[in-house]
Amino acid sequence: MNSNFPQYTVDYISGTMCLRTPQKKSLAILDEILSSINLKKGMNNKVALGSVHSLCPTCSDFERDFMSLTFALAAGVGKTRLMGAFITYLFTNHNIKNFFVVAPGKTVYEKLKSDLGYPSSSKYVFKGLGCFSSPPMIICDDDYRNKNAELFPGGINIYVFNIDKFNKERSKMKALNEYLGQSFFEYLASLDDLVLLMDESHHYRAEKGAAALNELNPLLGLETTATPIVTKNSKQTLFKNVVYEYPLSKAIADGYTRTPYAVTRKDIAAYNFGEEQLDKMMISDGIICHERTKQFLKDYAQDTGNRLVKPFMLIVCKDTDHAESVSQFVTSDEFRDGYYKDKTITVHSKQTGSESDENMNLLLEVEKNDNPVEIVIHVNMLKEGWDVNNLYTIVPLRTATSKILREQMVGRGLRLPFGERTNIPEIDSVMLTAHDKFSDILAEAQKGDSIFKAGNVIQIEEIEEERFIKQSYLDFDLASDQTEFYKEAGLERNEVNNQIAQAIHATIEDAVAEKLVSVSHSPVNFEQIIQEAKDTVLNKMENTAKEKPDLAQCLEAFNDLPLFVANKAEKVYKKIQEKCIPIPKIKITDEGAEEYKFVDFDLNLSEFTQVPVSNELYTQNLIDMSERKEIKGVEKLNFEALNPAKVILELLKQKPEIDYESCSDLLKKLISQVINHFASKHTESDTKNIVMMYCKDISNKIYRQMMQHFYRDNTLLREEVMSVSGANIKQTSRYKFECNLYDTFKEKWFGSIKSVLFTGIKKGVFSSAVFDSEQEHILARIMEMDNDVLNWLRPAKTEFNIYYNHGKRYEPDFVIETKDSIFLTEVKDSSKLNDADVIAKKNRGIQFCKTVSEWAKANSFKEWKYLLIPHDQIRENSSFKNLATQFTMD
């Protein structure tokens, strides 16, 4: 404790700064941790980690070169105020005076400068704290070049930097500084009490950013984020240094945020609209919600005497061109008679100069009542760190395609403008217009991993990390393989040598397989393959041994290493040849144009049950699904200018298989049938209403029926078999869990089956496999136990050079070998058997099998057949023979 401030306990700081419960808890945890270790520069991080882990079991690694702790608090709880509390506590209790604050972008950077450095700001975090005789000195932008941080040795220095600027200017910061007598960077790194505060710290986990921060050599790192997860190449990794987590679901339950609602028009199927039509409808419906909320806030201020809050609406666009187009509409006389012409700003990365600066200033001050802005249009720039409390309506246009992005958008509108709920639902809510994604959002909101439901993502238990394994043609036999190894090497049997034996075995297998994959299955020069494989293995082991003393010692002990490798390669060669299913390599010599033709038919009109829709809006509470309300009196949609036949025809002409010139008569007939069907039950206006609101649904149903009456004509396609593979291609499998093939799979135990590696395979070409569905897993078990099946394979992505539908590579689910035949096998959802893509692959697979079978008959190979199995026909008691008899296609 700093002797000058004995009263600054955790409780005192929490009370003076009006900290919320999760903020106070965070401060208490920091106090408990620092009370248990001797905090000093150059301390033993392993010892410190042991102490921290015993207090906070979720912290298993500091993940940096210095002690760094993460406090994962939900958006809206107040991470900036918590940073202020950390600074106050460390100054008054540990006499720390130097703080380096890192921001992930310009918006957060400007906010931090204001909240930490401007006492006149309404959000200044140090208000009411007597420990600062003068405000902390803020050093930011280019101040490091011309400010002497040592002029105020008794005060606090807070260095605030945008991480991008910090990375770019590190070289300049390392230049000699005339005030300091050394570089600014050297000065910071030499400070004994530099504490690093990282806002939105998931941004500083990349190699470059992490290295830059490590160079500062701070005493301590304190990280805040709402998402303690790093995503790289679609793989998500959880933070390992979290000491406290307070998720959004808890914040909502505890009343620290507003309640999120999804909004849509009653009864509409939004995907039937064109993009521009849907954009305008969502914006128009969003402004209804905005103006409604604006009136409620005005009434609340008049009734209670509270300050007037001016709400604004956020429109999220897919790119800069889209944003400019939306801006033209919103600021035109067409939209609300031009009312929002001077109340709208557009913010995106391509803006420069005065326009960018002016809009950014308006954006940062959007909470002020004298700021005219009521609509902000942006392109994915403001997902986080933009802490405004008057965002009440969010309109995502063609952008909310992912669960994470939608949740981040909602998170921007959860902050409470009065610091607590008012118990007026319209003020304690945020509206997300979701015409095109309404059902998706409702479903996601109720999932366990939704931000509205999920608890802590960091668990005390060890988290299963994704692992990788390269497939093996045969399991390493510890008994026979190790015995042979030790006999030849004359070494002592121990764990290190066991691992070396297994590594040598894998190296030999890889070398032999690589040679066999590259040659034809026809008679090959056996001695040449063995010799080349032996040379490859010996060279690789020699190079590896230079860096691994244990391996070098092992290799020196062999009486005749080349002979051992050659003998082993020969055995591996024979086993791989026995397991191999020869895959034909075909050459397309004349790829004729694909042409789709349709047989004449009449529509089954029982599918077309659509009815006219009304014009009310729905609002759906995303937390309490029992709460749904209607907003009546919205503008009616005008259908008078609509040509129903033309709308449906244009949508059908977009389908890749439909050539209007060759099937125009059929299209006109089918469209007339469906329009006459509606006209027989409804007025002309209502018929237009139906087509307008359901045009895509109607066209898709016509299309699906058409696809059941088509055939593909590709007589110009010429194929010939050039060779067959000598070995099947090994794959590297990604997995999190490992199970025996006969173990029970439960989704609640493992999650997706795609994350499970199944081992113990005997009949398969490889001893392990990953499956895409439970039906594939069951089929593998059937094949393993079925006497008719000799061998089976989950082929690699590049195993077949078969293409369909304009260059898509065909990747079969299985290749299955019996005594007389080889089956190119697909397992498909029975509801999708008539999908165009499935039919295209089926036709292409049948054609491939016919071509290969003709060649096989002349060259003493097995016949190929195409097998398409509906998923619901695969049961544990199925036999492969029965499945093949029922579902082989020709």
Side-chain angles (χ1 to χ4, degrees):
M1 174 70 73
N2 188 332
S3 58
N4 294 323
F5 307 104
Q7 77 273 30
Y8 276 75
T9 63
V10 168
D11 288 339
Y12 178 81
I13 295 172
S14 299
T16 304
M17 296 186 71
C18 300
L19 297 186
R20 292 170 166 174
T21 300
Q23 295 167 324
K24 182 178 179 180
K25 176 68 173 176
S26 298
L27 189 61
I29 288 173
L30 178 62
D31 178 54
E32 186 177 18
I33 289 173
L34 296 187
S35 298
S36 69
I37 61 175
N38 181 19
L39 183 64
K40 63 179 181 180
K41 211 158 185 177
M43 65 182 178
N44 188 320
N45 277 349
K46 288 187 177 180
V47 174
L49 178 61
S51 298
V52 175
H53 181 69
S54 65
L55 295 171
C56 308
T58 54
C59 181
S60 59
D61 193 326
F62 291 147
E63 299 194 276
R64 303 188 187 275
D65 292 349
F66 51 92
M67 175 175 161
S68 191
L69 311 172
T70 293
F71 297 82
L73 272 64
V77 171
K79 293 188 286 296
T80 306
R81 179 162 291 274
L82 177 60
M83 292 169 72
F86 284 159
I87 292 171
T88 303
Y89 165 79
L90 290 171
F91 171 59
T92 57
N93 284 259
H94 297 275
N95 201 32
I96 292 172
K97 300 179 181 179
N98 289 285
F99 300 89
F100 194 98
V101 180
V102 191
K106 185 175 180 180
T107 306
V108 184
Y109 172 64
E110 295 295 337
K111 174 182 74 71
L112 287 172
K113 284 198 303 182
S114 174
D115 293 355
L116 296 173
Y118 303 149
S120 60
S121 169
S122 61
K123 295 184 179 180
Y124 183 61
V125 299
F126 299 120
K127 282 182 180 178
L129 292 170
C131 58
F132 303 124
S133 55
S134 59
M137 181 178 180
I138 300 297
I139 302 170
C140 56
D141 298 318
D142 296 331
D143 290 346
Y144 71 90
R145 300 179 188 175
N146 48 41
K147 271 189 180 180
N148 187 349
E150 294 182 315
L151 288 178
F152 304 97
I156 293 181
N157 298 316
I158 302 179
Y159 307 88
V160 184
F161 277 90
N162 178 338
I163 188 64
D164 290 334
K165 182 179 177 67
F166 178 65
N167 284 332
K168 290 175 183 175
E169 296 211 2
R170 266 192 298 164
S171 57
K172 296 179 182 178
M173 292 179 182
K174 292 181 179 179
L176 181 66
N177 184 298
E178 61 179 291
Y179 293 100
L180 300 174
Q182 58 184 322
S183 76
F184 176 65
F185 209 98
E186 289 172 331
Y187 167 73
L188 290 176
S190 68
L191 293 172
D192 290 332
D193 65 342
L194 184 68
V195 170
L196 193 58
L197 295 163
M198 292 163 270
D199 192 19
E200 308 292 355
S201 67
H202 51 281
H203 289 286
Y204 323 126
R205 295 290 175 126
E207 185 175 344
K208 184 178 179 182
L213 298 177
N214 282 333
E215 287 182 28
L216 284 173
N217 191 27
L219 171 68
L220 172 67
L222 299 175
E223 308 182 32
T224 58
T225 180
T227 52
I229 300 171
V230 177
T231 302
K232 184 177 181 181
N233 298 328
S234 75
K235 178 184 177 182
Q236 291 191 332
T237 304
L238 301 176
F239 281 24
K240 297 179 180 177
N241 66 341
V242 173
V243 294
Y244 178 58
E245 185 178 8
Y246 185 78
L248 182 58
S249 59
K250 191 76 167 64
I252 293 174
D254 290 346
Y256 291 134
T257 69
R258 285 187 257 147
T259 302
Y261 285 79
V263 181
T264 190
R265 278 194 176 245
K266 183 178 179 181
D267 290 327
I268 72 164
Y271 76 89
N272 286 296
F273 293 88
E275 290 183 342
E276 184 177 349
Q277 288 176 309
L278 186 60
D279 284 354
K280 290 182 178 181
M281 184 190 299
M282 289 178 66
I283 293 170
S284 298
D285 291 345
I287 212 68
I288 291 171
C289 296
H290 166 73
E291 292 172 348
R292 188 166 174 264
T293 301
K294 185 177 178 181
Q295 185 61 48
F296 271 98
L297 285 166
K298 183 179 179 180
D299 293 344
Y300 179 75
Q302 292 176 343
D303 294 343
T304 64
N306 277 289
R307 65 184 179 86
L308 176 65
V309 172
K310 178 207 68 177
F312 76 96
M313 182 171 84
L314 176 67
I315 303 176
V316 189
C317 299
K318 69 173 183 177
D319 54 38
T320 53
D321 291 338
H322 186 208
E324 293 299 333
S325 174
V326 168
S327 177
Q328 289 177 13
F329 168 66
V330 171
T331 58
S332 70
D333 291 336
E334 177 188 355
F335 182 71
R336 283 297 198 266
D337 297 324
Y339 177 80
Y340 291 97
K341 191 172 296 185
D342 299 320
K343 301 178 184 295
T344 300
I345 59 171
T346 303
V347 183
H348 56 70
S349 58
K350 289 187 179 180
Q351 289 178 328
T352 58
S354 58
E355 179 189 24
S356 175
D357 292 340
E358 181 181 356
N359 285 351
M360 186 57 70
N361 289 334
L362 286 170
L363 176 68
L364 293 174
E365 297 182 350
V366 74
E367 291 174 325
K368 295 184 177 180
N369 285 331
D370 59 356
N371 183 323
V373 173
E374 291 188 47
I375 298 177
V376 174
I377 303 169
H378 87 82
V379 183
N380 295 345
M381 290 177 62
L382 310 173
K383 291 185 291 184
E384 55 197 5
W386 187 43
D387 297 340
V388 293
N389 58 34
N390 61 331
L391 172 58
Y392 271 88
T393 308
I394 304 170
V395 184
L397 303 179
R398 303 183 230 165
T399 59
T401 55
S402 73
K403 167 180 176 290
I404 292 175
L405 182 55
R406 282 198 287 266
E407 291 183 345
Q408 285 177 332
M409 287 179 189
V410 174
R412 296 307 96 208
L414 291 175
R415 289 174 175 80
L416 296 166
F418 303 103
E420 60 184 8
R421 290 181 178 169
T422 64
N423 294 320
I424 298 175
E426 290 77 9
I427 295 177
D428 295 339
S429 63
V430 56
M431 299 293 182
L432 179 74
T433 60
H435 294 26
D436 57 338
K437 303 290 181 183
F438 187 73
S439 296
D440 292 346
I441 290 175
L442 297 195
E444 286 168 2
Q446 294 307 298
K447 288 181 180 178
D449 63 349
S450 160
I451 59 170
F452 311 125
K453 296 287 184 182
N456 293 357
V457 299
I458 309 297
Q459 303 296 328
I460 293 175
E461 301 85 31
E462 182 180 353
I463 298 167
E464 288 287 346
E465 296 186 356
E466 192 170 47
R467 293 174 282 176
F468 298 84
I469 187 172
K470 194 168 186 178
Q471 286 182 319
S472 176
Y473 294 94
L474 30 123
D475 285 325
F476 182 70
D477 190 328
L478 291 176
S480 62
D481 290 299
Q482 284 188 3
T483 299
E484 182 180 3
F485 169 80
Y486 284 116
K487 179 180 178 181
E488 294 295 327
L491 292 171
E492 176 186 354
R493 188 184 289 265
N494 57 44
E495 186 57 34
V496 172
N497 288 337
N498 286 349
Q499 293 176 3
I500 291 174
Q502 193 162 350
I504 291 175
H505 174 89
T507 303
I508 294 171
E509 184 182 288
D510 285 346
V512 174
E514 184 179 344
K515 300 299 177 185
L516 282 172
V517 167
S518 64
V519 301
S520 167
H521 196 78
S522 56
V524 294
N525 189 328
F526 166 77
E527 288 78 10
Q528 182 181 348
I529 288 182
I530 298 301
Q531 182 61 45
E532 290 179 356
K534 184 186 77 171
D535 293 342
T536 300
V537 172
L538 291 175
N539 288 335
K540 184 173 182 179
M541 287 196 290
E542 182 180 347
N543 292 331
T544 306
K546 293 176 182 178
E547 301 176 0
K548 295 186 176 181
D550 289 332
L551 177 60
Q553 183 180 356
C554 173
L555 298 182
E556 289 175 3
F558 270 90
N559 297 322
D560 192 340
L561 180 61
L563 179 61
F564 171 79
V565 172
N567 290 337
K568 190 69 176 175
E570 182 177 344
K571 292 179 181 179
V572 170
Y573 172 92
K574 291 179 179 178
K575 288 185 178 181
I576 292 178
Q577 288 268 286
E578 290 173 5
K579 301 287 281 185
C580 174
I581 299 178
I583 305 297
K585 300 299 179 183
I586 60 173
K587 179 181 179 182
I588 300 174
T589 56
D590 184 8
E591 188 175 359
E594 293 183 341
E595 184 179 2
Y596 291 88
K597 297 182 179 179
F598 297 87
V599 177
D600 186 37
F601 73 102
D602 292 319
L603 284 174
N604 174 5
L605 294 170
S606 64
E607 289 188 50
F608 299 90
T609 58
Q610 297 87 347
V611 294
V613 302
S614 60
N615 289 282
E616 286 80 16
L617 287 181
Y618 267 147
T619 65
Q620 173 65 60
N621 187 324
L622 293 178
I623 308 302
D624 180 1
M625 300 305 277
S626 67
E627 183 190 342
R628 175 177 290 186
K629 299 178 181 178
E630 290 186 12
I631 301 176
K632 297 184 180 293
V634 301
E635 297 91 337
K636 291 186 176 181
L637 300 174
N638 188 344
F639 310 106
E640 294 306 315
L642 184 76
N643 182 332
K646 185 177 179 180
V647 169
I648 297 172
L649 178 60
E650 290 303 315
L651 290 171
L652 286 170
K653 285 166 66 174
Q654 295 174 17
K655 304 297 184 182
E657 300 85 359
I658 295 178
D659 175 21
Y660 177 72
E661 295 300 325
S662 63
C663 61
S664 59
D665 290 341
L666 176 62
L667 287 172
K668 291 176 183 177
K669 169 188 160 182
L670 300 179
I671 292 171
S672 295
Q673 287 180 354
V674 77
I675 290 177
N676 291 337
H677 170 69
F678 290 129
S680 68
K681 300 180 178 181
H682 305 283
T683 65
E684 180 181 358
S685 177
D686 282 348
T687 297
K688 289 182 177 182
N689 178 310
I690 292 169
V691 174
M692 176 71 171
M693 305 303 279
Y694 298 101
C695 56
K696 286 188 179 179
D697 184 42
I698 292 168
S699 64
N700 285 338
K701 286 180 175 177
I702 295 174
Y703 168 67
R704 281 196 293 270
Q705 290 195 33
M706 288 180 70
M707 293 305 291
Q708 295 172 15
H709 297 83
F710 90 107
Y711 64 96
R712 177 170 160 268
D713 189 4
N714 199 353
T715 56
L716 297 178
L717 186 63
R718 298 289 182 267
E719 298 175 325
E720 60 179 315
V721 177
M722 304 303 295
S723 64
V724 290
S725 60
N728 299 117
I729 301 173
K730 299 177 74 168
Q731 304 172 59
T732 298
S733 299
R734 302 171 59 176
Y735 68 102
K736 293 182 179 179
F737 306 97
E738 185 176 320
C739 288
N740 185 276
L741 183 68
Y742 298 99
D743 287 345
T744 301
F745 169 79
K746 292 286 187 183
E747 190 171 323
K748 65 181 180 181
W749 296 344
F750 303 105
S752 171
I753 196 171
K754 296 179 182 180
S755 66
V756 180
L757 179 75
F758 290 93
T759 59
I761 295 170
K762 304 300 180 185
K763 283 189 178 181
V765 172
F766 300 107
S767 58
S768 62
V770 173
F771 303 109
D772 293 325
S773 68
E774 173 62 0
Q775 286 71 32
E776 289 183 355
H777 173 215
I778 295 172
L779 181 59
R781 294 208 293 224
I782 291 170
M783 292 186 294
E784 284 284 294
M785 296 183 286
D786 197 299
N787 293 331
D788 288 317
V789 176
L790 300 180
N791 206 359
W792 63 272
L793 169 71
R794 289 276 284 166
K797 291 182 181 295
T798 57
E799 197 104 29
F800 288 85
N801 58 335
I802 311 175
Y803 297 90
Y804 71 101
N805 273 4
H806 312 293
K808 293 182 183 177
R809 182 185 281 274
Y810 184 20
E811 301 170 13
D813 293 330
F814 293 95
V815 179
I816 304 169
E817 183 179 11
T818 64
K819 180 180 178 181
D820 302 315
S821 305
I822 297 176
F823 293 85
L824 190 67
T825 306
E826 284 286 332
V827 176
K828 285 298 176 189
D829 188 316
S830 58
S831 66
K832 297 180 179 179
L833 295 179
N834 290 320
D835 285 3
D837 209 51
V838 174
I839 293 172
K841 285 198 287 186
K842 178 186 73 174
N843 290 341
R844 191 67 188 86
I846 291 172
Q847 185 175 358
F848 171 84
C849 290
K850 286 180 178 179
T851 298
V852 171
S853 292
E854 290 176 4
W855 176 88
K857 186 176 181 181
N859 291 273
S860 301
F861 282 86
K862 292 180 180 179
E863 177 186 14
W864 279 69
K865 298 179 180 180
Y866 188 77
L867 180 57
L868 178 60
I869 311 176
H871 80 289
D872 53 8
Q873 298 300 310
I874 299 173
R875 295 178 283 272
E876 291 283 2
N877 63 341
S878 299
S879 69
F880 179 74
K881 183 176 182 179
N882 183 269
L883 293 172
T885 300
Q886 289 188 78
F887 303 112
T888 295
M889 305 284 174
D890 50 33

